[in-house]
Amino acid sequence: MPTKTPSPTTTAKARGRSAASSAAKLAAAPGPAASRTRSPGRARSDASRMAILDATLKLLETTPVPQISIESIAREAGVGKATIYRWWNSKAAVVIEAFLHTHLSHTPMPKDISPRDALMRHIHLLVEEYSGWSGRIVSQIMAEGQSDPDVLREFRERFWYGRRAVVREVVEDARRKGEFRNDVETELQMDILYAPIYFRLLMRHLPLDKKFADEHCATIMQMLAPIENQAAAASPKRRKIARAARAA
């Protein structure tokens, strides 16, 4: 009997679940009380790891991603290259984790509000974040990834799949609650939400600012709303156009 090949959507969901599971394990790690019982060796190891991430962030403030090397990170952190390779297998892996170290806390997915409102709030935070330092770093990582598949793979596995898994849960919740239409695939809905942001980030033909975030959210939420909601929202506008035509 032939083996069934998983679809791209199934594979993406599996990766997302794996990334989300890893994030959950990190969240469940021992807290401050447990840290007091760590051995001195563990404390020094954690300190070295944070020093490497901090050094990478410092370099990223003034140095383009392609010009950063494991050697420059080690020199800035005051550690040997072997210490870096203890946790990361490449420069790209260090840079991406350093970026995530600050980015995720600045672009959370809000809870205790409707899925639709949570996505709009998240998109506003993402646009604001990508208009500055984080946007410059992400665009450089993605650009380097076009000529180095390993960089793009690290970016997908360390950032993209995990974040997409979180967004997928919210989008599917919006579909269940009737806030989003069900006749368009979830994966495509997520692409529609984020593609204009990444297009402006990479092309820089127009700004990533609050005006764009407001207009993008209003337009996309209308497009993703159930058909009956779109018709209801459009009716007042059609009546206004009809009245103007009659008056003319």
Side-chain angles (χ1 to χ4, degrees):
M1 182 175 182
T3 302
K4 185 178 180 181
T5 302
S7 68
T9 298
T10 302
T11 303
K13 287 186 177 180
R15 286 170 172 162
R17 284 194 295 270
S18 176
S21 175
S22 299
K25 289 178 182 178
L26 288 174
S35 67
R36 289 195 291 270
T37 64
R38 289 176 177 171
S39 67
R42 175 65 181 274
R44 285 194 296 271
S45 178
D46 288 348
S48 295
R49 190 171 186 277
M50 288 307 303
I52 292 166
L53 292 175
D54 289 342
T56 305
L57 287 172
K58 184 176 180 181
L59 287 170
L60 287 169
E61 291 177 359
T62 57
T63 309
V65 171
Q67 295 179 20
I68 294 176
S69 64
I70 290 291
E71 289 79 4
S72 63
I73 295 172
R75 185 166 54 251
E76 184 69 33
V79 301
K81 289 194 296 182
T83 302
I84 295 178
Y85 284 119
R86 185 184 306 166
W87 293 291
W88 300 280
N89 60 4
S90 66
K91 176 202 75 174
V94 189
V95 168
I96 292 166
E97 186 160 337
F99 157 73
L100 292 179
H101 191 59
T102 60
H103 177 77
L104 293 182
S105 63
H106 294 162
T107 58
M109 183 66 72
K111 300 183 182 299
D112 302 323
I113 56 178
S114 74
R116 182 178 181 276
D117 289 343
L119 284 166
M120 288 196 294
R121 176 60 180 155
H122 169 67
I123 286 172
H124 274 83
L125 291 172
L126 184 63
V127 169
E128 181 180 359
E129 187 73 4
Y130 276 178
S131 68
W133 176 86
S134 283
R136 179 171 60 84
I137 301 307
V138 168
S139 60
Q140 289 178 12
I141 291 171
M142 294 177 71
E144 188 167 352
Q146 303 311 303
S147 58
D148 187 343
D150 289 340
V151 173
L152 210 54
R153 176 183 53 78
E154 289 281 0
F155 183 69
R156 288 195 302 265
E157 293 182 354
R158 291 178 178 270
F159 170 65
W160 192 259
Y161 293 139
R163 174 48 65 91
R164 198 166 174 90
V166 172
V167 174
R168 183 182 295 107
E169 289 183 2
V170 181
V171 170
E172 290 179 346
D173 193 22
R175 291 163 66 95
R176 285 191 297 270
K177 293 180 177 179
E179 294 182 342
F180 280 9
R181 57 197 297 173
N182 287 306
D183 60 335
V184 178
E185 290 186 352
T186 301
E187 294 293 323
L188 180 56
Q189 288 178 329
M190 290 191 290
D191 286 346
I192 291 171
L193 281 166
Y194 290 93
I197 299 172
Y198 279 90
F199 184 66
R200 286 204 180 196
L201 174 67
L202 295 174
M203 295 304 295
R204 299 190 181 278
H205 60 300
L206 290 169
L208 283 167
D209 53 18
K210 186 177 183 303
K211 180 175 182 292
F212 163 71
D214 290 342
E215 293 176 349
H216 174 56
C217 282
T219 302
I220 294 301
M221 293 304 162
Q222 175 66 18
M223 289 174 61
L224 296 181
I227 298 297
E228 58 272 21
N229 292 8
Q230 294 182 24
S235 292
K237 183 176 181 180
R238 284 200 295 265
R239 287 196 296 270
K240 183 177 180 180
I241 292 173
R243 285 196 301 269
R246 285 196 300 269

